[in-house]
């Protein structure tokens, strides 16, 4: 069993248990069940290589119809373990989108094992809305987002609803659930 297979199993467990299981993204179930989510484990060791990987994956996703692949998750296993470094890299990733003319066409969603929102303490439960077993950059199609948001009642309330749900569950239970995702094995 390869390390990439194990990492992919951990990310899939996180998607199933956190993203879909806790309802953090009300739009995730359909692409997950439709097998329209691609997971790429990046071997990049530096920012330049990771930006190249992002560009390749953006080109690939752009060439796919949404019904075949709706989104791509790029798992960063060799770098960006420090959340501040990860957060700094997001600026480079966003600049890549703009420089390639994909601003307004694609966007990134960001997830990290130590994700922390501004103004929160590291142990606050609400940080778990964006915590994952590995640093992850999710490539999202803007058109698809606009479509699902237009048909969803009060999409602006999703973050508040998620924060309330995380606070009800509590940091201890969420940390245990995330640890189970980190321990997931391929089926």
């Amino acid at each position: 069993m390869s390390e990439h297979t194990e990492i992919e199993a951990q990310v899939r467990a996180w998607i199933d248990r956190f993203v879909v299981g806790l309802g953090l993204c009300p739009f995730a179930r359909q692409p997950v069940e439709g097998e329209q989510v691609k997971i790429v484990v990046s071997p990049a060791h530096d920012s330049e290589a990771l930006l190249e990987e992002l560009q390749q994956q953006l080109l690939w996703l752009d060439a796919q119809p949404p019904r075949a692949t709706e989104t791509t998750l790029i798992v960063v296993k060799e770098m960006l373990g420090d959340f501040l470094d990860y957060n700094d890299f997001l600026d480079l990733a966003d600049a890549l989108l703009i420089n390639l003319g994909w601003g307004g066409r694609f966007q990134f969603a960001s997830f990290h094992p130590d994700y922390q929102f501004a103004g929160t303490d590291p142990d606050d439960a609400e940080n778990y809305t964006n915590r994952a077993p590995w640093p992850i950059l999710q490539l999202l199609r803007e058109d698809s987002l606009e479509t699902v948001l237009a048909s969803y009642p009060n999409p602006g309330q999703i973050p508040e609803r998620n924060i309330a749900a995380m606070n009800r569950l509590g940091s201890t239970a969420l940390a245990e659930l995330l640890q189970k995702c980190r321990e997931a094995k391929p089926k």
Side-chain angles (χ1 to χ4, degrees):
M1 169 178 0
S2 77
E3 181 184 29
H4 285 210
T5 304
E6 287 186 24
I7 291 170
E8 185 175 336
Q10 294 166 8
V11 172
R12 289 198 185 281
W14 168 74
I15 292 169
D16 290 344
R17 295 174 184 168
F18 264 85
V19 180
V20 174
L22 297 178
L24 294 178
C25 177
F27 320 117
R29 182 176 300 281
Q30 183 176 351
V32 168
E33 290 177 353
E35 298 181 4
Q36 299 165 289
V37 178
K38 178 182 179 186
I39 298 173
V40 174
V41 179
S42 174
H45 283 84
D46 59 47
S47 294
E48 185 177 317
L50 185 53
L51 287 169
E52 186 176 310
E53 176 89 42
L54 291 177
Q55 183 174 350
Q56 291 171 1
Q57 293 305 323
L58 282 160
L59 286 166
W60 184 88
L61 186 60
D62 192 45
Q64 307 306 308
R67 69 184 178 283
T69 305
E70 181 60 48
T71 189
T72 300
L73 282 76
I74 300 171
V75 182
V76 185
K77 72 177 189 97
E78 299 294 337
M79 55 184 286
L80 303 180
D82 180 87
F83 179 65
L84 295 177
D85 292 341
Y86 174 83
N87 210 30
D88 289 343
F89 182 82
L90 292 175
D91 292 335
L92 297 174
D94 286 335
L96 177 74
L97 281 178
I98 292 166
N99 291 338
L100 295 174
W102 283 326
R105 188 170 178 141
F106 292 102
Q107 67 174 264
F108 293 107
S110 58
F111 306 94
H112 191 277
D114 298 319
Y115 203 99
Q116 183 178 349
F117 290 103
T120 65
D121 290 326
D123 294 331
D124 286 351
E126 65 193 72
N127 293 315
Y128 282 89
T129 63
N130 286 63
R131 288 200 177 163
W134 294 90
I136 297 173
L137 293 160
Q138 182 180 9
L139 308 178
L140 296 166
R141 298 173 188 267
E142 291 268 349
D143 289 347
S144 295
L145 278 175
E146 289 174 14
T147 300
V148 295
L149 288 173
S151 63
Y152 190 82
N154 302 314
Q157 292 180 351
I158 294 171
E160 290 101 24
R161 188 201 69 212
N162 286 347
I163 289 168
M166 298 299 95
N167 286 329
R168 277 192 304 277
L169 291 169
S171 295
T172 302
L174 292 164
E176 289 171 6
L177 182 58
L178 187 58
Q179 183 58 38
K180 287 180 184 175
C181 296
R182 288 184 182 114
E183 296 167 357
K185 300 292 182 204
K187 296 178 183 178

